[in-house]
Amino acid sequence: MDLAQRPPYSTIDFKALAKADSDFKQTWQTCSGKLDFQDPATLQSLSKAILRVDFGIELSLPDGRLCPPVPNRWNYVSWVQGLLDSSSPAYTNKYERERRVIGLDIGTGASGIYAMLCMKSRPNWTMCATDIDKTSFESAAANFAKNNLLSRTKMLQTTSKMLLIPLEILGTQQLDFTLCNPPFFIDSAEMEKSLNGEGKATGPNAICSGSSNEMICPGGDLGFVTRIVEESLVLRGKVKWYSSVLGKLSSAKAIVELLKSHNITNWAVGVLEPGTKTGTKRWIVAWSFGDLRPRHSIARPRGGSFPYDLLPFPTSYNISLSSSFTGSTAEDKLNDQLSALDLTWTWVPATAMGVGEASENVWGRAYRRAYERRKREGQVEMRDTIDRKTQLAFRVTVVQLAGEIVLEWLRGDDQVLWESFCGCAHRWFKQV
Ligand code: SAH
């Protein structure tokens, strides 16, 4: 399987894993096919086998440190890949093999798992990794070395007083993304409660072998990610995407509220569904000061458990085609309309897909009239030499089979401009 685009996990086929990995086979046979998720050795055996078989990663862990469940970790990395791929300045919405990306794993832990998954799956990605815990830091370094990833990693042991995103000390001007799985709990009492399954219908999940610095920090997950938000308000565009897992829905909601209160309009919410018996539902929140918009399926989680008013504005808009549009008539109409406007429009017939870039509302009646007049007077070429800033970039796809046109918002800060363009395109296809 192509690791660069490996899909997220939904379930694990333990039987197949036992066949593929001799160490895990022993675990599987010893428990007669009934894995004991309360047993730390079983969990280690499982994580190590998945990493080995699915990613070619060898993991070692010191005693008393968290053993990361792989599906949940990979699903976050896979989501971050989708976030970056769909907000690439090249508007490709796919994995660009040549694109160099640099990320930061805040609190990489004894496993260094996020950094390793990122680098193993994307050969052109490099990673910075920090941790405040000496044992974890050294163990992560050993894992990077064992997997030949040390040369692609910048490691920094920090302290709890230092910045969470210490760009200067890392010696890097900018980052493409940060990711983080923060300590979730405020104190040991809150941790005990949660681990005992209080308030959960299903009771406790897998055993947690974490040490206190892995599990507890001032303010819990909300406190930790609030610090990342505060640092982001200073660093702004120096990091393209800031992101973190949040352990509680209430914390994820509070972070989005905080982003909104600072007028940050470009954010995305993801969900990590457990899939297996060993997991708990988690949330991901990412935000950017840039104007590149991630694709709809990344920015807004499926299912209704996240409050509507805290979801980012939809970045896609579908127009159903009436039956009067057959074959290529929709494509022709689209091209006619867009080619007549004062914007850059690039259409690729083979994929029935085009990208447009507009410097303002060029589809409005007044603008169109003035543009027509300038064209008649031969003044248009002159304007083409002026470098105009793109205020809205969009992709249009004609999906013949579904009988619809899909508009996607690729770039721009102005939600009203995007909505106005969607309304205009909608009218083109209602009129026939
Ligand atoms: N990323 C790993 C570990 C998560 S546990 C995983 O997903 O499995 C949280 C980690 O954050 C711990 O290793 C802890 O030592 C580290 N940590 C806590 N406070 C930190 C801080 N202020 N800066 C950097 N890392 C920190």
Side-chain angles (χ1 to χ4, degrees):
M1 186 184 287
D2 180 10
L3 274 190
Q5 294 169 89
R6 196 196 153 87
Y9 287 95
S10 46
T11 50
I12 300 279
D13 183 344
F14 297 125
K15 234 187 202 167
L17 191 65
K19 253 194 194 152
D21 188 272
S22 56
D23 286 355
F24 182 66
K25 190 176 186 178
Q26 273 197 349
T27 309
W28 182 248
Q29 283 172 343
T30 313
C31 69
S32 320
K34 278 207 168 75
L35 291 178
D36 176 6
F37 294 106
Q38 297 295 312
D39 173 34
T42 300
L43 292 184
Q44 271 217 23
S45 159
L46 179 60
S47 287
K48 284 180 177 176
I50 300 175
L51 284 175
R52 202 177 289 137
V53 173
D54 290 351
F55 297 93
I57 290 175
E58 287 297 324
L59 179 73
S60 61
L61 288 173
D63 288 339
R65 290 294 180 276
L66 204 67
C67 173
V70 182
N72 161 300
R73 301 299 194 272
W74 171 251
N75 290 5
Y76 180 17
V77 169
S78 162
W79 186 87
V80 167
Q81 289 182 343
L83 184 74
L84 267 87
D85 292 349
S86 67
S87 62
S88 143
Y91 306 143
T92 54
N93 192 23
K94 62 178 188 215
Y95 169 45
E96 294 163 26
R97 210 166 288 277
E98 303 305 318
R99 184 175 172 201
R100 296 196 168 275
V101 165
I102 173 162
L104 164 64
D105 180 8
I106 303 171
T108 194
S111 58
I113 186 154
Y114 288 134
M116 287 208 288
L117 289 173
C118 286
M119 289 187 285
K120 265 286 183 182
S121 59
R122 295 282 170 106
N124 258 342
W125 287 23
T126 51
M127 292 296 294
C128 303
T130 62
D131 209 292
I132 55 170
D133 176 56
K134 189 165 183 282
T135 306
S136 294
F137 187 80
E138 284 169 359
S139 164
N143 278 315
F144 298 148
K146 194 192 283 212
N147 290 282
N148 283 326
L149 295 169
L150 208 47
S151 62
R152 287 166 58 198
T153 320
K154 247 183 214 176
M155 295 194 71
L156 181 68
Q157 191 181 337
T158 52
T159 67
S160 55
K161 302 257 175 328
M162 283 168 70
L163 290 173
L164 294 173
I165 309 176
L167 280 194
E168 219 163 288
I169 310 177
L170 285 166
T172 179
Q173 299 282 322
Q174 60 95 38
L175 293 169
D176 292 286
F177 70 94
T178 67
L179 44 62
C180 177
N181 187 17
F184 286 158
F185 304 110
I186 289 167
D187 54 27
S188 51
E190 191 195 29
M191 178 171 89
E192 292 300 325
K193 254 196 198 164
S194 172
L195 298 182
N196 290 333
E198 255 176 64
K200 285 187 208 157
T202 50
N205 298 109
I207 187 91
C208 177
S209 56
S211 64
S212 71
N213 66 292
E214 292 175 298
M215 310 302 290
I216 297 166
C217 74
D221 58 353
L222 180 56
F224 204 90
V225 183
T226 297
R227 278 182 66 192
I228 302 181
V229 173
E230 280 162 2
E231 290 186 27
S232 81
L233 291 169
V234 177
L235 294 172
R236 304 187 77 84
K238 285 188 181 166
V239 177
K240 296 212 180 84
W241 283 101
Y242 303 85
S243 81
S244 184
V245 171
L246 291 130
K248 307 178 206 91
L249 175 60
S250 61
S251 305
K253 289 198 277 193
I255 289 300
V256 175
E257 300 272 16
L258 183 63
L259 297 174
K260 285 179 74 169
S261 77
H262 288 289
N263 297 321
I264 295 169
T265 59
N266 197 5
W267 77 91
V269 180
V271 188
L272 299 172
E273 301 278 2
T276 63
K277 282 185 213 135
T278 56
T280 310
K281 193 168 182 171
R282 305 281 183 218
W283 302 90
I284 317 169
V285 177
W287 65 100
S288 175
F289 293 83
D291 62 356
L292 288 157
R293 300 273 157 178
R295 71 170 168 260
H296 194 82
S297 59
I298 291 287
R300 291 165 64 105
R302 260 168 276 168
S305 47
F306 210 79
Y308 194 76
D309 64 320
L310 295 181
L311 290 174
F313 196 78
T315 54
S316 94
Y317 183 81
N318 291 23
I319 303 168
S320 301
L321 291 174
S322 69
S323 53
S324 57
F325 284 101
T326 54
S328 57
T329 54
E331 296 180 26
D332 292 345
K333 172 102 181 166
L334 190 67
N335 268 302
D336 287 350
Q337 293 288 352
L338 282 160
S339 306
L341 296 178
D342 184 17
L343 46 70
T344 315
W345 169 241
T346 316
W347 173 251
V348 183
T351 50
M353 203 184 265
V355 170
E357 289 180 290
S359 60
E360 58 185 289
N361 180 340
V362 298
W363 50 89
R365 189 185 294 256
Y367 191 99
R368 274 189 294 133
R369 283 208 182 129
Y371 179 58
E372 290 298 323
R373 196 176 54 243
R374 280 206 317 277
K375 265 210 290 204
R376 279 197 303 276
E377 292 166 2
Q379 290 179 13
V380 171
E381 280 79 8
M382 269 167 53
R383 278 180 62 90
D384 284 347
T385 58
I386 303 168
D387 194 15
R388 290 182 285 172
K389 187 179 179 316
T390 298
Q391 297 293 354
L392 176 74
F394 55 87
R395 181 176 18 248
V396 188
T397 313
V398 179
V399 192
Q400 296 279 9
L401 271 180
E404 64 178 12
I405 293 199
V406 179
L407 309 184
E408 288 171 282
W409 186 10
L410 303 177
R411 185 192 277 276
D413 285 327
D414 191 344
Q415 174 193 319
V416 175
L417 196 62
W418 157 241
E419 277 187 281
S420 158
F421 177 70
C422 293
C424 169
H426 201 133
R427 284 190 295 278
W428 295 337
F429 290 95
K430 266 176 86 175
Q431 276 163 9
V432 173

